[in-house]
Amino acid sequence: AEAQPPVGVQRIVQGSRPAVAPDGTVYVAWVDSTDDRPFEGLAEIYVARSEDGENFSQPSRAAFFLETGFRPQNAFFRYWGTVFPRIAVGPDGKIFVVYTGIPADNPDDDGDTFLVGSTDEGRSWSRPSRLNDDETDRLQFFPEVDVGSDGVIHVMWGDMRDDGFET
């Protein structure tokens, strides 16, 4: 979907992260909290591309998801920035974005780690895949992604599944 111009006083558009493809194409990903207020409701991740580093394509929506709160149930650190996308481009030009969101089928979960990908220079995106395998409502947070020279995707994140805190 095409990005809409950000409007509204309750919207946050930030967390931009660049990645450079082997051919020099620059991709930039960012999060838009939408007009339903930050830290609640839906958020969207957009990606734009540039072949010359100055002119960028119309952004495409890579993902939309339920946004995490300001802080998790079982910790006292600000983790809302975990929704900021992390982006990497593989040697074959495939693009990957990871982020943390609340799973649609479990709104009581503090957040899971998701991956989306594009094989057509960011024009279309795969459905999100949940990467963490726990069945708790505990937080997975601050993911990072990279793609090796062999095309293998590497993702890591923090995980609170074994925290002893009871809600």
Side-chain angles (χ1 to χ4, degrees):
E2 257 186 37
Q4 299 300 312
V7 295
V9 295
Q10 299 300 322
R11 182 177 227 146
I12 294 175
V13 178
Q14 64 180 15
S16 59
R17 177 66 74 99
V20 181
D23 67 359
T25 301
V26 176
Y27 293 91
V28 179
W30 66 91
V31 70
D32 180 337
S33 71
T34 72
D35 282 327
D36 60 4
R37 303 179 59 91
F39 320 124
E40 56 188 64
L42 289 176
E44 300 172 323
I45 292 174
Y46 286 95
V47 176
R49 68 186 288 274
S50 174
E51 293 179 3
D52 62 12
E54 293 182 30
N55 301 296
F56 282 84
S57 67
Q58 181 70 25
S60 66
R61 185 174 67 189
F64 63 95
F65 57 96
L66 293 173
E67 196 169 5
T68 63
F70 187 76
R71 69 176 188 86
Q73 301 171 52
N74 59 337
F76 294 100
F77 61 92
R78 177 184 180 261
Y79 82 119
W80 181 76
T82 197
V83 301
F84 296 167
R86 302 300 190 236
I87 185 170
V89 184
D92 56 0
K94 291 179 182 173
I95 310 161
F96 301 96
V97 173
V98 294
Y99 60 93
T100 298
I102 295 174
D105 62 347
N106 185 5
D108 294 328
D109 193 315
D110 269 346
D112 286 331
T113 297
F114 294 92
L115 171 81
V116 293
S118 176
T119 59
D120 61 4
E121 299 178 319
R123 288 186 279 280
S124 64
W125 294 88
S126 66
R127 294 181 63 107
S129 294
R130 186 179 84 150
L131 299 181
N132 54 286
D133 63 357
D134 72 311
E135 297 301 325
T136 71
D137 62 357
R138 302 297 171 88
L139 173 66
Q140 282 72 46
F141 60 103
F142 297 131
E144 288 290 342
V145 63
D146 196 13
V147 183
S149 59
D150 57 0
V152 174
I153 306 163
H154 303 272
V155 181
M156 64 181 225
W157 61 86
D159 192 322
M160 301 286 280
R161 76 176 76 192
D162 293 329
D163 182 60
F165 179 83
E166 294 295 324
T167 56

